Amino acid sequence: MTKKLDIAIVGAGMGGLASAAALLKAGHDVTVYEQARQFTRLGAGIQIGCNAMHVLRGLGLEQRLRADTFYPRSWNNRDWKSGEVLFDILFGTDAEQAYGAPYLLAHRGDLHAALASAVPPDLVRLNHRLTGIDPTAEGVRLTFENGHVATADAAIAADGVHSVVKAALFGDDEPNFTGRIAYRTVYPIGRLKGVDVLNCTKWWGEDRHVVIYPVKPDRSEIYFVTSQPEPGFEIESWSATGDVKVLRAAFEGFHPEARAVIEAAPEVHKRPLVDRDPLERWVDGRVALLGDACHPMTPYMAQGAAMAIEDAAILSRCLAGIDRDGIETALRRYEATRKARTSRMQFTSRQNIWGKGVTDVDWVYGYNAWEAPLAS
């Protein structure tokens, strides 16, 4: 009988928790280390593509997510001024029939809570900021700022775009700043007067856009996120409170429907939009990167978290039935299976033309990570 592996996961975001749940499903032992002292419900929305839903269904989360999220008719792309429909990416029952899973719009906190429910709480160690990771004869040693030292057969780094593990293994370089800023917020529908937000809509401007959608099944909460240039923004400010007056001025010429949603926002946060060119390597011995740690991308296809969730399923499949001697080969197989798809996603998202005109979406939403071929 194959011995269970003891796997350390660094980071308890979407990718880290999805990986933990998938690896538990594959029969391994996991411990998740997270630097935050507690989980918080950030004011942000997230689109859960059909491809991500295949994975989440396999983790037993579909019914919970259907109950907590909005089921959109489409991703409607419209001109910023006239309101003309540029292209309609159909979701709802059409997408579900075509791709075998629904497309859902969620509060980011609700998706995170669903993933957390799939991992026993005693397997998650909060307040553990990683400071070092080193190979040992038996596997991997992890050291933390609080003095804790842990060992594992393998380690998965799901610690985001500023990954400590990526820096330790492959060098510490800054991600590419796109020169653009995202303002975002979630607020109660009661603040919005005279406009119904019935769908997911992207309003395309000449050098900026705003995406708007409900995040609850009863449309009780509305989310929007922008992308715009903002001269003078300091890249060091990774997360900050935005000035709603500056935001409103930036979109004052937009269609009244879009402007009404922005005008009703009580407060906003802003962050720089960054990505990276595809990395040459994700794996070093018994340590592998996952999600934004290895393939951060702009949000223009709403696929960043989906790629991390897909990674988790492929990783668990590659490690299924593997003993210690097979870890390094399995991790290289995971990298080889994922790299082409995530690289294509990074480059396509960077262009920011997804949905602006007729768009082939099948290659994105039709992918099922539980069934996709693994690299030989």
Side-chain angles (χ1 to χ4, degrees):
M1 180 178 178
T2 303
K3 183 182 182 297
K4 289 183 178 182
L5 297 177
D6 180 12
I7 302 174
I9 298 171
V10 182
M14 305 298 186
L17 291 176
S19 297
L23 289 167
L24 288 169
K25 178 182 170 71
H28 297 302
D29 292 329
V30 301
T31 306
V32 183
Y33 298 96
E34 166 58 41
Q35 66 180 0
R37 294 178 181 274
Q38 61 183 13
F39 294 145
T40 57
R41 193 174 191 266
L42 300 174
I46 191 166
Q47 302 192 40
I48 310 175
C50 310
N51 50 313
M53 277 305 302
H54 278 296
V55 178
L56 298 168
R57 174 185 289 159
L59 300 179
L61 300 176
E62 181 175 5
Q63 294 310 310
R64 173 172 176 155
L65 289 170
R66 282 184 184 268
D68 282 346
T69 61
F70 184 70
Y71 188 69
R73 182 194 69 84
S74 70
W75 177 338
N76 198 228
N77 293 274
R78 299 176 66 180
D79 179 78
W80 68 286
K81 194 169 187 178
S82 69
E84 175 192 357
V85 175
L86 305 175
F87 186 62
D88 213 15
I89 303 175
L90 291 178
F91 293 142
T93 55
D94 288 337
E96 196 160 351
Q97 290 172 5
Y99 306 121
Y103 196 107
L104 303 176
L105 305 177
H107 192 296
R108 199 171 188 90
D110 291 338
L111 174 56
H112 189 267
L115 284 164
S117 74
V119 181
D122 61 331
L123 301 183
V124 180
R125 307 281 192 268
L126 298 175
N127 195 27
H128 278 66
R129 181 185 295 273
L130 187 77
T131 56
I133 185 164
D134 302 286
T136 69
E138 297 298 320
V140 183
R141 181 176 64 248
L142 304 94
T143 56
F144 299 90
E145 189 176 69
N146 61 11
H148 181 70
V149 177
T151 58
D153 295 322
I156 306 302
D159 53 343
V161 66
H162 300 295
S163 171
V164 173
V165 179
K166 183 263 175 192
L169 299 183
F170 306 118
D172 188 9
D173 59 334
E174 288 295 325
N176 305 319
F177 177 41
T178 63
R180 305 182 67 79
I181 307 302
Y183 284 77
R184 64 183 182 180
T185 193
V186 174
Y187 64 83
I189 189 65
R191 295 189 59 89
L192 185 59
K193 309 297 183 184
V195 173
D196 286 330
V197 177
L198 303 175
N199 203 27
C200 175
T201 303
K202 182 170 183 175
W203 297 89
W204 289 86
E206 294 173 352
D207 68 343
R208 64 202 60 200
H209 69 250
V210 57
V211 179
I212 300 166
Y213 54 84
V215 296
K216 284 294 188 180
D218 60 359
R219 295 186 292 115
S220 58
E221 290 184 317
I222 298 301
Y223 171 68
F224 72 78
V225 61
T226 72
S227 171
Q228 68 215 68
E230 186 169 305
F233 182 83
E234 296 295 331
I235 188 65
E236 288 79 11
S237 303
W238 287 104
S239 180
T241 299
D243 186 332
V244 290
K245 293 179 181 178
V246 172
L247 172 62
R248 290 167 185 160
F251 287 84
E252 62 182 357
F254 269 57
H255 191 280
E257 284 186 37
R259 203 166 62 246
V261 174
I262 293 172
E263 291 284 341
E267 60 184 14
V268 289
H269 285 82
K270 68 178 183 179
R271 63 186 180 93
L273 294 176
V274 302
D275 70 1
R276 271 200 173 92
D277 293 336
L279 298 182
E280 289 186 13
R281 296 173 60 201
W282 301 2
V283 173
D284 185 2
R286 295 187 177 193
V287 182
L289 307 181
L290 181 142
D292 282 353
C294 51
H295 48 68
M297 60 192 68
T298 57
Y300 303 142
M301 296 171 69
Q303 282 290 313
M307 290 301 98
I309 290 168
E310 285 184 4
D311 286 350
I314 295 295
L315 176 70
S316 71
R317 290 175 61 198
C318 290
L319 285 169
I322 297 297
D323 59 20
R324 286 182 177 179
D325 291 339
I327 291 173
E328 294 187 28
T329 299
L331 293 182
R332 289 196 299 270
R333 189 182 197 194
Y334 148 74
E335 177 191 295
T337 302
R338 293 295 296 156
K339 187 179 284 187
R341 178 168 170 81
T342 59
S343 297
R344 182 182 181 186
M345 208 73 67
Q346 286 175 286
F347 285 133
T348 305
S349 187
R350 181 182 287 177
Q351 296 169 25
N352 192 21
I353 58 173
W354 183 258
K356 192 173 185 179
V358 176
T359 302
D360 171 20
V361 302
D362 291 355
W363 70 275
V364 175
Y365 305 136
Y367 183 91
N368 183 342
W370 296 120
E371 299 175 357
L374 300 178
S376 58

